Amino acid sequence: MPIIPSAVACLVLASAAAPQAPPGPPAEEAPRIDRPGEPPAMEESERRERARRDALEQLRRECLPEPITEEDLRAFAEEVGASEESKALLPRIAENYRRAWADLDRRIASEIRGRLEASYRFDERTERIAAVPTPELLELLAARSRLVDAVVEADAAVFRELEAIGDPLRRTLLADIRHERLQRVFRRREVLPGATLDLIDLLADLEIDASARMGMLEAIERYRRDHQRLIEARFREGLAIDAEEAALRTNLLPAWELLAAPAERAEIEAERRDLARRAAELDVPLRALLRDALVAWRRILPDEEGRRLQEAYQRLTYPELFRDEVRLAALVERVSKAAAFDEAKIAAVGLSIDRASRELQRPGLLLMELADSLVAVEALPDPADRAEAEMLLESRILEVLDRRRDRIDAAVREVATLVPGERVEATAAIAEFTETDASLRRAAGFRRAALGRSIAALRELARNPRASEEPQQRDEREQRDAEPAVP
């Protein structure tokens, strides 16, 4: 659902008769025209084929985790500080792991590979993988559960060996390696955008060294422990939901909606809605953990690093909700250059932006919670209830966005006070930002008013179902009601 309505582009096509060209050379003498690229139809066909390959590869990775390679094992041993003498044990560790993996591959993974083609198909219309409800799919899902248990057991033996040969002072690094491996084993596509993000990986990607911060190591360890527990619980519960849905759909005949009795149809629809609700809620505990950890880490980390972590998290979840921060960052960069700020003014701007960032964090997290709720609303059975809930959430999102713009505008005014009047380019940039902001506010105000009218109309319709009748229809109905009953 669009949050802020965008302007509709109008394309006016005009054509004019071209003058008749003189006859060209005979066909066999016509010069060859080199056209770059392939015909559009061919390009579209290749794009769909790439989408199919990518979707099937993602499915394969979810169903069949890759083993730890010997190269991985050597890199792990290096990271955990294994001595040269201890590294001599790596071939034996690798051989034991290969035997364990070959056994689980023969017993379980081969069963999954053999059933993949029958259990899933690529939907050309949606360009997504769709499950095919048959007993083959049920067997595959049961095998996936057994496979994960076997993989976790085989991996645990490797990590015990690494712990024995590693430097005790580097156990945190070993915990990070194991944490990343478990995320690969318990891989499952997310419903809420960014729910499967790992904040520890995000710290590493942003090159934020949190080890020296008081209390940060304990906070990271607590987060890692909770994150591992939640990703495993999410995977196993998700697999159970997949199996329940597959069993339900396998037992239904095609066109069951038309063939089932009304009571049976209502019962089946209620069961499917409940499964959809449970699937949508799988990501909620992970999202809550990420939110709480982000708030706690933001208090511990230095201002700049905490802001970068917060902005990266926002960018990887609902980037469209945080366009205002992107606009603000671009404005600050442009104004700082145009106004030739010295170090003192740059520091003042940094403090101003950091204060704004801290105050924007909680309403930013609220925005993500509201956007997450839109996913849950889709499971509501009644169309009117679903429409009203979606409109209420969108209106609330627009309200929070407006409130956050108030704080961003205050930061822009603080920056503007540092710009000398003669710096025309800098003042023009600020004026342009303010004009864009005013336009966004007007558009949001119009949308909120329209949403309010629609919500009121829906509620009136719920109270008085006949309120939607046209005047002529209402007159005809009232006339029929007034006629005496025929004995």
Side-chain angles (χ1 to χ4, degrees), residues 327 409 428-442:
R327 291 172 51 240
D409 286 349
I430 294 173
E432 182 181 330
F433 183 95
T434 304
E435 184 179 345
T436 299
D437 188 75
S439 175
L440 287 168
R441 287 178 184 272
R442 289 193 300 271

Side-chain angles (χ1 to χ4, degrees), residues 292-344:
D292 293 346
L294 189 66
V295 171
W297 295 8
R298 187 74 169 83
R299 286 196 292 263
I300 299 173
L301 289 170
D303 293 341
E304 181 185 351
E305 293 177 337
R307 184 171 66 247
R308 287 200 293 127
L309 178 65
Q310 174 183 331
E311 290 172 352
Y313 178 70
Q314 292 171 174
R315 187 171 59 251
L316 293 168
T317 49
Y318 290 105
E320 195 60 30
L321 295 179
F322 299 97
R323 292 295 303 164
D324 291 326
E325 278 93 334
V326 176
R327 291 172 51 240
L328 176 62
L331 175 70
V332 167
E333 182 179 2
R334 183 178 172 187
V335 168
S336 298
K337 290 181 180 178
F341 281 167
D342 57 21
E343 290 185 6

Side-chain angles (χ1 to χ4, degrees), residues 440-455:
L440 287 168
R441 287 178 184 272
R442 289 193 300 271
F446 178 88
R447 179 64 176 174
R448 286 181 65 191
L451 290 168
R453 291 194 297 271
S454 291
I455 291 168

Side-chain angles (χ1 to χ4, degrees), residues 267-429:
E267 183 178 346
I268 293 169
E269 289 173 348
E271 189 173 351
R272 295 186 72 189
R273 283 196 302 271
D274 183 62
L275 287 169
R277 176 191 59 78
R278 287 167 56 196
E281 292 175 352
L282 283 173
D283 291 347
V284 173
L286 271 177
R287 175 75 89 209
L289 173 66
L290 293 172
R291 180 186 63 241
D292 293 346
L294 189 66
V295 171
W297 295 8
R298 187 74 169 83
R299 286 196 292 263
I300 299 173
L301 289 170
D303 293 341
E304 181 185 351
E305 293 177 337
R307 184 171 66 247
R308 287 200 293 127
L309 178 65
Q310 174 183 331
E311 290 172 352
Y313 178 70
Q314 292 171 174
R315 187 171 59 251
L316 293 168
T317 49
Y318 290 105
E320 195 60 30
L321 295 179
F322 299 97
R323 292 295 303 164
D324 291 326
E325 278 93 334
V326 176
R327 291 172 51 240
L328 176 62
L331 175 70
V332 167
E333 182 179 2
R334 183 178 172 187
V335 168
S336 298
K337 290 181 180 178
F341 281 167
D342 57 21
E343 290 185 6
K345 287 187 175 182
I346 290 174
V349 169
L351 288 174
S352 178
I353 299 304
D354 184 68
R355 284 195 302 270
S357 177
R358 287 183 180 278
E359 294 175 26
L360 290 170
Q361 184 185 46
R362 287 198 176 276
L365 293 172
L366 174 58
L367 273 181
M368 285 188 278
E369 289 180 10
L370 292 168
D372 287 350
S373 298
L374 287 169
V375 177
V377 162
E378 294 175 2
L380 292 177
D382 184 79
D385 290 344
R386 186 166 60 249
E388 181 176 345
E390 287 175 349
M391 289 190 294
L392 284 169
L393 286 168
E394 183 183 352
S395 183
R396 180 71 172 125
I397 286 172
L398 292 171
E399 178 188 344
V400 176
L401 283 170
D402 224 28
R403 197 168 75 237
R404 296 178 87 248
R405 287 192 184 112
D406 290 340
R407 184 62 186 88
I408 289 174
D409 286 349
V412 172
R413 288 194 297 272
E414 291 174 7
V415 173
T417 61
L418 301 173
V419 179
E422 67 272 13
R423 296 289 184 172
V424 179
E425 185 181 346
T427 55

Side-chain angles (χ1 to χ4, degrees), residues 181-350:
R181 173 63 180 172
L182 286 174
Q183 290 179 75
R184 295 181 183 278
V185 173
F186 295 125
R187 185 195 303 266
R188 181 180 177 86
R189 274 169 281 191
E190 59 191 22
V191 177
L192 303 179
T196 57
L197 277 174
D198 178 20
L199 293 183
I200 297 177
D201 283 346
L202 204 52
L203 285 175
D205 290 343
L206 297 172
E207 298 182 345
I208 294 176
D209 183 9
S211 60
R213 307 302 301 179
M214 183 67 68
M216 196 65 186
L217 291 179
E218 292 84 356
I220 289 177
E221 179 56 36
R222 186 164 54 251
Y223 161 84
R224 183 194 292 113
R225 184 173 59 249
D226 292 342
H227 193 248
Q228 288 178 184
R229 174 177 55 80
L230 288 178
I231 60 172
E232 179 173 359
R234 172 183 177 272
F235 176 86
R236 295 189 184 279
E237 175 62 18
L239 207 55
I241 293 171
D242 292 345
E244 287 183 51
E245 183 182 14
L248 174 64
R249 293 178 61 199
T250 299
N251 291 327
L252 293 176
L253 292 173
W256 64 268
E257 303 95 329
L258 304 176
L259 299 172
E264 183 185 8
R265 183 168 63 249
E267 183 178 346
I268 293 169
E269 289 173 348
E271 189 173 351
R272 295 186 72 189
R273 283 196 302 271
D274 183 62
L275 287 169
R277 176 191 59 78
R278 287 167 56 196
E281 292 175 352
L282 283 173
D283 291 347
V284 173
L286 271 177
R287 175 75 89 209
L289 173 66
L290 293 172
R291 180 186 63 241
D292 293 346
L294 189 66
V295 171
W297 295 8
R298 187 74 169 83
R299 286 196 292 263
I300 299 173
L301 289 170
D303 293 341
E304 181 185 351
E305 293 177 337
R307 184 171 66 247
R308 287 200 293 127
L309 178 65
Q310 174 183 331
E311 290 172 352
Y313 178 70
Q314 292 171 174
R315 187 171 59 251
L316 293 168
T317 49
Y318 290 105
E320 195 60 30
L321 295 179
F322 299 97
R323 292 295 303 164
D324 291 326
E325 278 93 334
V326 176
R327 291 172 51 240
L328 176 62
L331 175 70
V332 167
E333 182 179 2
R334 183 178 172 187
V335 168
S336 298
K337 290 181 180 178
F341 281 167
D342 57 21
E343 290 185 6
K345 287 187 175 182
I346 290 174
V349 169

